[in-house]
């Protein structure tokens, strides 16, 4: 009995110490709605272990009208930064005191940094995508790149793709005006906006899906011959099984078919570097995440 009581007391003390330690740590959150599915705490915990950083990173489900108060609460409680996911990226953009150039172009923010009373906003999605392509030894420079979609996901990666100096970046979208509006933001770049039908007789090296179509399991309205012309198809989303887009590409014999898990880890690594000033090794974290996804 005495041993049991001692052990219970010991556990209680440990719990209190752990709770206190995590309260004293620099706090980070990922804000979203829904958020339970987020892999970000897992990724950032591994980054922190690897780089010996003492941080606490958790998910936070935020009610649709509570984003600003969630941010302020975090700042008041040792908050040093946060990731922001759907549907708050535009609200985060509007809330920032200062913004990176790439966040201004994207009109959205996925990374908040709190420092000296200032909220600084950046977007690391584009660099996450580009770094993942480069990691796969896919050369963007001088390539013909087709980006499918013109929603928030597409808009967030255009600047980073153009920074790699592709021969031409084509944005194809169901609603042409949205693709045109993005292209207009970059008047001095090799960029054009088309409908899906317009792409039918064109050839590309790299095709990137930034539409939400893959998630619902449907096929994109893109011609087989257009898909076949590419050596690489990249889907910005990921799931346990290959997405409909990647299945379609593989069936047509496209050489490299890559899902967005590496982009997820890449954008997290870029956020982590902004906060902690050290760039983690993405490779082991991506391997651990892939294994977890296949569990
Ligand atoms: P996100 O923030 O994920 O990009 P979004 O802003 O709603 O979400 O954009 C979704 C993208 O998927 C858009 O490019 C959308 O095309 P429209 O701009 O024409 O709406 C595209 N999309 C969604 N469903 C589609 C479908 N069935 N066929 C083709 N494109 C589709």
């Amino acid at each position: 009995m005495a041993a049991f009581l001692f052990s219970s007391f010991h556990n209680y003390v440990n719990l209190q110490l752990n709770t206190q330690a995590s309260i004293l740590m620099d706090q980070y959150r990922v804000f979203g709605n829904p958020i339970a599915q987020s892999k970000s705490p897992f990724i950032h915990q591994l980054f922190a272990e690897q780089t010996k950083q003492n941080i606490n990173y958790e998910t936070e489900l935020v009610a649709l009208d509570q984003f600003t108060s969630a941010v302020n609460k975090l700042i008041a409680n040792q908050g040093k930064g946060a990731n922001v996911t759907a549907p708050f990226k535009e609200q985060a953009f509007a809330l920032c005191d200062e913004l990176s150039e790439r966040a201004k172009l994207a009109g959205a923010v996925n990374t908040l940094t709190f420092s000296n009373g200032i909220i600084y906003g950046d977007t690391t999605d584009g660099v996450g995508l580009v770094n993942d392509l480069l990691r796969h030894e896919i050369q963007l420079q001088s390539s013909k790149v087709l980006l499918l979609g013109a929603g928030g996901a597409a808009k967030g990666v255009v600047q980073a793709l153009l920074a790699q100096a592709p021969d031409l970046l084509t944005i194809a979208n169901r609603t042409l005006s949205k693709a045109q509006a993005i292209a207009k933001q970059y008047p001095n770049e090799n960029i054009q906006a088309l409908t899906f039908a317009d792409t039918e007789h064109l050839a590309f090296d790299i095709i990137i899906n930034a539409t939400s179509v893959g998630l619902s399991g449907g096929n994109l309205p893109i011609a087989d011959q257009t898909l076949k012309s590419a050596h690489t198809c990249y889907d910005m989303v990921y799931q346990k099984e290959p997405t409909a887009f990647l299945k379609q590409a593989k069936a047509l014999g496209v050489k490299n078919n890559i899902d967005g898990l590496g982009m997820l880890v890449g954008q997290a690594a870029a956020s982590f570097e902004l906060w902690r000033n050290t760039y983690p090794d993405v490779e082991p974290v991506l391997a651990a995440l892939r294994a977890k996804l296949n569990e």
Side-chain angles (χ1 to χ4, degrees):
M1 183 66 178
F4 172 75
L5 282 177
F6 178 75
S7 144
S8 300
F9 177 71
H10 191 246
N11 288 344
Y12 171 78
V13 169
N14 268 346
L15 185 69
Q16 292 301 312
L17 288 175
N18 284 342
T19 310
Q20 273 173 17
S22 85
I23 289 169
L24 291 175
M25 287 176 186
D26 287 349
Q27 298 292 320
Y28 295 88
R29 297 288 180 274
V30 54
F31 295 125
N33 188 340
I35 199 62
Q37 81 298 342
S38 174
K39 309 281 181 280
S40 293
F42 179 79
I43 296 170
H44 282 279
Q45 189 193 332
L46 292 185
F47 286 164
E49 283 168 14
Q50 188 195 101
T51 57
K52 309 210 172 0
Q53 300 283 310
N54 203 18
I55 68 164
N56 183 48
Y57 185 115
E58 291 174 18
T59 57
E60 185 167 333
L61 177 69
V62 179
L64 297 181
D65 59 351
Q66 293 297 314
F67 181 71
T68 303
S69 76
V71 171
N72 288 332
K73 212 173 96 198
L74 176 59
I75 293 171
N77 289 290
Q78 291 280 116
K80 295 288 182 271
N83 283 130
V84 182
T85 189
F88 297 117
K89 287 184 179 184
E90 285 81 14
Q91 280 189 55
F93 176 85
L95 186 68
C96 289
D97 302 304
E98 286 176 16
L99 291 159
S100 66
E101 283 310 307
R102 58 194 187 185
K104 283 182 197 162
L105 284 162
V109 153
N110 81 336
T111 309
L112 297 171
T113 305
F114 314 130
S115 166
N116 302 324
I118 296 284
I119 304 178
Y120 175 75
D122 198 354
T123 178
T124 61
D125 289 329
V127 74
L129 169 67
V130 164
N131 284 347
D132 196 41
L133 282 163
L134 296 176
R135 205 177 58 80
H136 282 92
E137 297 180 353
I138 310 297
Q139 165 134 349
L140 286 149
Q141 192 180 12
S142 306
S143 293
K144 290 193 179 353
V145 181
L146 173 60
L147 182 63
L148 306 172
K155 208 172 168 189
V157 300
V158 168
Q159 183 272 343
L161 290 172
L162 288 171
Q164 294 294 309
D167 178 47
L168 178 63
L169 175 62
T170 301
I171 306 176
N173 197 43
R174 180 175 61 180
T175 312
L176 179 60
S177 59
K178 281 165 72 179
Q180 286 170 328
I182 298 178
K184 256 199 203 142
Q185 289 184 283
Y186 303 89
N188 303 317
E189 301 279 354
N190 293 331
I191 184 167
Q192 66 173 349
L194 299 177
T195 64
F196 285 109
D198 291 335
T199 65
E200 201 169 321
H201 300 291
L202 301 179
F204 301 92
D205 301 305
I206 302 165
I207 303 180
I208 300 166
N209 179 28
T211 71
S212 47
V213 178
L215 285 173
S216 52
N219 272 1
L220 279 156
I222 174 163
D224 283 357
Q225 66 206 43
T226 308
L227 268 186
K228 259 197 216 169
S229 70
H231 59 65
T232 299
C233 281
Y234 193 104
D235 203 329
M236 282 171 46
V237 300
Y238 64 87
Q239 54 192 26
K240 193 170 174 180
E241 302 300 327
T243 62
F245 173 66
L246 293 182
K247 270 193 207 143
Q248 196 184 347
K250 192 170 179 211
L252 290 166
V254 175
K255 191 167 148 227
N256 308 302
N257 299 293
I258 309 168
D259 73 7
L261 203 67
M263 175 177 171
L264 176 76
V265 180
Q267 63 79 30
S271 295
F272 191 85
E273 185 183 30
L274 277 170
W275 296 328
R276 310 303 299 184
N277 212 15
T278 173
Y279 191 82
D281 183 2
V282 300
E283 226 45 81
V285 177
L286 183 54
L289 190 60
R290 180 76 66 191
K292 194 175 157 70
L293 195 68
N294 289 332
E295 267 171 13

